[in-house]
Amino acid sequence: RAFAGDDGPRIGAVAVVYPASGGVLFGGEFGVARFDGERFRTLPASRVPALTLVSGIVETPDGDLWFNTQTGVVRAAAVDFSRALDADDAGLANTLFDFRDGLPGAAEQDAFVNTAARAGDGRLWFATSHGVAWIDPAHVYRSARPPPVSIRALVADGAAQSLPRDVALPQNVSTL
């Protein structure tokens, strides 16, 4: 059977197909769709912008879904994902991990394979445009406070500068 138009996933070019516990998941340019054996239910990026250019999907044993996307790595609880699929206007409660959390780049888009995987130790691995990253979903710690900033050295146009309380740089500095 062929699925196209209104019968298809309606997510643009499909980048990843993943067999999940609730049905087969499809990730693509414009969102995520689940095929339940009868029809597709779609969660478009227009409702959940974090689900743009999905190239990786992985499910944890508790049913949570992790998506490798252009925006970063998106985690959605199974119940929240199902709820969002069932409603035509609902968003998706999710957690985004991106460059602020140390993710190197965005999801790899030219791999033509799933860019997310679960290892035997439970870690989730994600291929990105600038490297590879992992997260242990059983031990996710996120601080609400930004890390403190400490400047320990200063070099202006190749010349080391002293670090008094207030720094005055030489005129016309082009690199810092």
Side-chain angles (χ1 to χ4, degrees):
R1 181 172 173 197
F3 297 94
D6 289 341
D7 291 338
R10 300 183 320 271
I11 56 171
V14 174
V16 60
V17 178
Y18 183 82
S21 58
V24 181
L25 297 177
F26 295 79
E29 288 179 280
F30 309 120
V32 177
R34 179 170 64 192
F35 185 73
D36 61 12
E38 304 269 330
R39 66 186 185 110
F40 284 94
R41 293 189 182 272
T42 301
L43 188 55
S46 59
R47 282 188 8 225
V48 184
L51 295 179
T52 300
L53 292 173
V54 177
S55 67
I57 302 172
V58 65
E59 182 178 26
T60 58
D62 60 2
D64 288 352
L65 295 166
W66 295 71
F67 303 96
N68 198 12
T69 77
Q70 176 183 336
T71 309
V73 173
V74 177
R75 178 203 164 272
V79 66
D80 294 331
F81 183 73
S82 291
R83 186 178 301 126
L85 281 176
D86 290 340
D88 289 334
D89 59 351
L92 173 65
N94 67 78
T95 305
L96 174 67
F97 298 89
D98 60 15
F99 67 93
R100 291 172 284 236
D101 301 294
L103 186 68
E108 179 62 47
Q109 295 297 318
D110 297 325
F112 303 108
V113 295
N114 192 354
T115 61
R118 183 174 176 273
D121 63 2
R123 290 181 185 176
L124 306 180
W125 289 84
F126 302 93
T128 73
S129 57
H130 290 89
V132 177
W134 64 264
I135 189 167
D136 183 348
H139 299 97
V140 175
Y141 172 76
R142 299 200 65 185
S143 175
R145 296 182 356 205
V149 175
S150 175
I151 299 174
R152 300 184 342 186
L154 182 66
V155 178
D157 284 338
Q161 304 291 314
S162 61
L163 288 175
R165 184 175 268 297
D166 297 315
V167 176
L169 297 175
Q171 289 185 332
N172 301 317
V173 169
S174 62
T175 60
L176 182 64

